[in-house]
Amino acid sequence: MKSLKTTNQETIKITNQKKIIQLLYRKQQLTKRLIAQTVKISIPTVISNVRELIKQGYLDETKVGESSGGRKPAIVRFLPNCRYSFGILITKEQVRIILTNLNFNIIVEKIINVPDKIDDFNNITIEIKKEINNIIATNNIPLYRILGIGFSLPGTVNEKELILRNAPNLKLKNVCFKDFERDLPVPIFIENEANASAYAEAFINFNYVKSSLVFISITEGIGTGIIITDNVYKGFNKRAGEFGHMTIIKNGKQCNCGKKGCWELYASKKALLDEYKKEYNIKNNSLKDFMEMSKTDNKAEKILNTYLEFLAEGIKNIILILDPRCIIIDGEISDYKSLIETKLMDKIFKQNDFYDKKECKVSFSNLEGNASILGAAFLPMRKLFFLDEKII
């Protein structure tokens, strides 16, 4: 049995290595002296840890840096192509598969169309296996360089047991991914799509502090991911963040979840398009067509305004319940930021005694609709960058 002292030393060593990898992921290359100053550890400690990380293939030493007198320092570089990760996003319409490197550059992307009704989810997993194996073979990637496969799923999940508990919009319950994992050569990780998106916003897109963040994913439904002090908050029963199913209209429309009047029935992309088709008696379900029409057509403008009222109402509730520093909105609706942002912000920050724009930053994601799938690709990388799973 290892002594407590030995265990602590190993933990400190692993923690220092993860700090170095995180720093070099962000900076790409630095001298050992700058690494030591930033991470606040000694240069000998940096040297020993860098040497080990070079052996593992994550870093290398390259060209000589600027000298301040005396021997010129070597540069330590992060090697993003030393490992890869798969991200898979499953929606009502399609399965999207990407292969990324450690810089989250998308190397390969494949799309599998999903039938209108999912009779057997196993048929979809078979297609996914084929695509993954084909990507690995075509790109001649050694298995040891693939950290795993992350799934972003539209519903509540048990990430430990690899179970999709409930996905109302896909009409799926208790789907176990363990059988799927046995047929693949690398580990599998699963996560709710909004939580995966929150991971991406908090880690990949790190331009400002987001340690208190709510991510709102607007698709066929509405999902929310919550970040508290750099951890994803899931709650006691692993279903925190189901704001899409908070009641916004008492005894309102019937939801797939069994309740009535859920927020996503009034503020999702589907809700907006359903209202558009109903009012204009058309089958076209293009958000682009509707948004263009809303610029000149009074009835379309009124539909959009009502939609934004419902969207703002839910966001106001989230601000009052969680008091986040940041709220980030994503989904196809974010493509029309220039058209809706001012109106939406006016509705959210309508004069009240509780909060204002300075206290909560509400913005649209700049990950160009990739937050959820990049978050899925991040799942297998967590052990590389962090000591714990960043979940509470």
Side-chain angles (χ1 to χ4, degrees):
M1 181 180 290
K2 293 182 179 179
S3 69
L4 184 60
K5 183 177 179 181
T6 302
T7 302
N8 286 341
Q9 287 174 340
E10 288 179 358
T11 301
I12 291 168
K13 175 181 156 185
I14 293 168
T15 300
N16 285 335
Q17 288 182 5
K18 293 185 186 307
K19 286 179 179 178
I20 291 169
I21 288 177
Q22 277 195 53
L23 176 63
L24 287 169
Y25 158 69
R26 305 208 184 285
K27 300 295 186 181
Q28 293 299 300
Q29 59 180 40
L30 288 171
T31 64
K32 291 170 189 171
R33 182 174 296 279
L34 280 173
I35 293 171
Q37 290 172 354
T38 307
V39 179
K40 294 181 171 52
I41 56 179
S42 69
I43 289 179
T45 300
V46 170
I47 290 170
S48 64
N49 281 302
V50 164
R51 187 181 298 123
E52 190 159 332
L53 290 169
I54 288 172
K55 284 182 182 177
Q56 294 172 23
Y58 296 110
L59 310 176
D60 74 359
E61 285 190 66
T62 183
K63 60 187 179 183
V64 175
E66 291 293 326
S67 173
S68 57
R71 187 175 179 182
K72 291 185 177 181
I75 299 291
V76 180
R77 292 191 310 180
F78 181 65
L79 300 178
N81 291 318
C82 70
R83 297 291 189 278
Y84 298 94
S85 178
F86 280 98
I88 299 178
L89 173 63
I90 297 180
T91 68
K92 193 174 181 180
E93 294 91 10
Q94 64 181 26
V95 175
R96 186 179 170 203
I97 304 171
I98 62 170
L99 177 73
T100 78
N101 64 9
L102 296 182
N103 272 349
F104 299 93
N105 301 130
I106 297 175
I107 311 298
V108 181
E109 178 172 3
K110 298 289 183 180
I111 302 291
I112 300 171
N113 291 322
V114 173
D116 291 338
K117 185 178 179 183
I118 302 176
D119 294 316
D120 188 354
F121 190 71
N122 286 331
N123 292 334
I124 294 174
T125 62
I126 289 169
E127 291 301 313
I128 293 171
K129 290 173 197 172
K130 286 180 184 176
E131 289 291 354
I132 288 173
N133 287 325
N134 183 55
I135 291 169
I136 293 171
T138 302
N139 292 275
N140 197 27
I141 304 171
L143 290 180
Y144 80 89
R145 293 178 67 183
I146 300 174
L147 295 175
I149 302 166
F151 280 83
S152 177
L153 303 169
T156 55
V157 305
N158 182 326
E159 76 282 353
K160 298 285 189 187
E161 298 298 322
L162 295 182
I163 296 173
L164 171 61
R165 284 179 171 173
N166 187 18
N169 289 324
L170 296 182
K171 294 183 170 56
L172 293 175
K173 281 188 176 182
N174 298 318
V175 176
C176 183
F177 281 73
K178 283 188 176 179
D179 292 338
F180 185 40
E181 185 178 42
R182 293 187 193 105
D183 296 332
L184 287 165
V186 292
I188 281 181
F189 304 82
I190 69 171
E191 187 52 270
N192 163 269
E193 56 97 11
N195 285 338
S197 300
Y199 276 128
E201 290 290 347
F203 182 76
I204 302 169
N205 193 15
F206 53 89
N207 292 329
Y208 55 91
V209 176
K210 286 175 267 194
S211 60
S212 174
L213 159 71
V214 176
F215 182 92
I216 302 175
S217 174
I218 301 175
T219 56
E220 287 290 310
I222 293 181
T224 52
I226 304 165
I227 299 282
I228 299 173
T229 59
D230 297 322
N231 296 277
V232 169
Y233 177 71
K234 292 195 171 185
F236 182 74
N237 291 298
K238 305 279 187 183
R239 55 173 176 251
E242 286 292 339
F243 283 103
H245 294 285
M246 66 179 167
T247 302
I248 207 83
I249 299 290
K250 185 174 174 59
N251 295 320
K253 299 175 185 177
Q254 181 66 52
C255 183
N256 288 329
C257 75
K259 293 167 71 264
K260 289 184 177 181
C262 293
W263 184 33
E264 68 176 38
L265 297 178
Y266 301 88
S268 65
K269 170 189 164 183
K270 181 178 184 299
L272 178 56
L273 290 179
D274 283 351
E275 195 65 24
Y276 168 42
K277 288 186 285 186
K278 183 180 96 174
E279 289 296 321
Y280 286 87
N281 193 28
I282 57 173
K283 294 183 179 180
N284 190 336
N285 63 352
S286 166
L287 185 61
K288 181 179 179 181
D289 288 349
F290 170 75
M291 287 298 188
E292 286 299 318
M293 183 182 290
S294 71
K295 295 176 183 178
T296 55
D297 185 281
N298 288 335
K299 185 163 73 169
E301 183 183 13
K302 186 176 178 181
I303 291 170
L304 180 59
N305 190 62
T306 301
Y307 167 81
L308 293 176
E309 290 279 1
F310 283 123
L311 181 56
E313 204 63 34
I315 292 172
K316 288 189 283 187
N317 286 341
I318 290 172
I319 293 173
L320 289 170
I321 293 166
L322 296 177
D323 189 26
R325 179 67 188 91
C326 302
I327 291 179
I328 298 176
I329 302 167
D330 195 27
E332 194 178 341
I333 195 79
S334 64
D335 293 343
Y336 304 94
K337 170 184 172 179
S338 61
L339 179 62
I340 66 174
E341 184 174 34
T342 300
K343 290 180 181 178
L344 180 61
M345 298 307 157
D346 287 345
K347 295 176 190 304
I348 293 170
F349 294 103
K350 190 175 181 179
Q351 181 59 45
N352 68 86
D353 293 333
F354 294 100
Y355 61 84
D356 58 35
K357 291 181 180 180
K358 294 178 182 177
E359 296 172 327
C360 181
K361 178 181 174 65
V362 179
S363 61
F364 290 86
S365 174
N366 61 9
L367 290 177
E368 299 178 341
N370 288 321
S372 184
I373 197 163
L374 289 175
F378 172 70
L379 298 176
M381 300 183 198
R382 280 183 301 188
K383 287 185 179 179
L384 172 61
F385 290 110
F386 297 103
L387 189 63
D388 56 38
E389 293 185 327
K390 310 302 288 180
I391 295 172
I392 56 175

